[in-house]
Amino acid sequence: MHPLIRHAFFLLFLCLSNMNLVAGRGSAKPVHTLQLRMDQIQQLDHLLSTNLVVQTIGNPVNVSAEEKNTTVRICSCQILDLESSNYNQQRVVLLAEKTGHGGSKDFTVARNHIQKEKKHLKQLFYDKVKLVAETQGTGSCRSLYFKLKTADSRLQLYEILDADIN
C-alpha cells in the first residue's frame, strides 16, 4: 500500500476516534448525538417508576389494592450554590427520594437525608454551602429534575439520594 494512502487512512481513523471521545459541557461521559424529546423522557420515567411485582412459583406475592394506592414515591429537592477557596459551583441540585406511605414523616426523613449530605459537603469539600431554593413533592426525583432542568438549563445534578436506606 502506498504510504500516502496509509497516512490518509490513519488520519481519518484518528479524527473519527477523537470525535467519539470528546466529553460535553458539564459532563464526564461522552456526548451522544441522540436527543430525547420531553415526551420520550416522560415515557421513560413512567416505565422506570412502575412497580414490578415478581412472583415465584409456589410462593405468590399478595398485595392488597389499598397498599398499592398508599405507596407513593416522594422527592425532596434543594438547589445549592457551593463555594470553596479555589472553586465555585452555581445551581447544584441535590435530591432525596423516599417511598412514602401517606405521612408527613416521609417528607421530613427525605429532607433530613439532604441535610446530612449538605453537612458532609461542607465538612469535606466546600467552605460555603448556600441554599438557593427548596421544594418537595410526590413523584420520582428524575421527573422533578427534568422539570427543573427545562425551567433552568444551568442546573447541575449532584446526586439523587435514596432516603429509604438508614
Side-chain angles (χ1 to χ4, degrees), residues 41-57:
I41 292 171
Q42 290 171 348
Q43 289 174 354
L44 286 172
D45 184 52
H46 176 68
L47 178 68
L48 293 173
S49 64
T50 57
N51 294 331
L52 299 176
V53 178
V54 179
Q55 294 184 348
T56 57
I57 298 173

Side-chain angles (χ1 to χ4, degrees), residues 32-45:
H32 299 286
T33 58
L34 174 68
Q35 296 293 326
L36 294 176
R37 293 189 319 257
M38 196 60 180
D39 59 311
Q40 290 174 328
I41 292 171
Q42 290 171 348
Q43 289 174 354
L44 286 172
D45 184 52

Side-chain angles (χ1 to χ4, degrees), residues 17 100 134:
S17 64
E134 183 175 15

Side-chain angles (χ1 to χ4, degrees), residues 7-18:
H7 291 297
F9 278 122
F10 175 75
L11 288 175
L12 179 67
F13 174 75
L14 186 66
C15 290
L16 289 175
S17 64
N18 188 26

Side-chain angles (χ1 to χ4, degrees), residues 53-106:
V53 178
V54 179
Q55 294 184 348
T56 57
I57 298 173
N59 191 11
V61 177
N62 295 324
V63 179
S64 67
E66 183 178 318
E67 289 178 12
K68 286 182 183 178
N69 292 337
T70 59
T71 304
V72 177
R73 293 164 76 183
I74 62 167
C75 183
S76 183
C77 168
Q78 289 188 359
I79 301 174
L80 308 169
D81 285 345
L82 306 172
E83 186 179 331
S84 67
S85 60
N86 58 355
Y87 195 67
N88 190 6
Q89 216 172 2
Q90 302 289 318
R91 305 293 190 255
V92 177
V93 180
L94 183 59
L95 301 158
E97 188 172 75
K98 177 157 179 38
T99 304
H101 300 288
S104 63
K105 180 183 175 190
D106 297 324

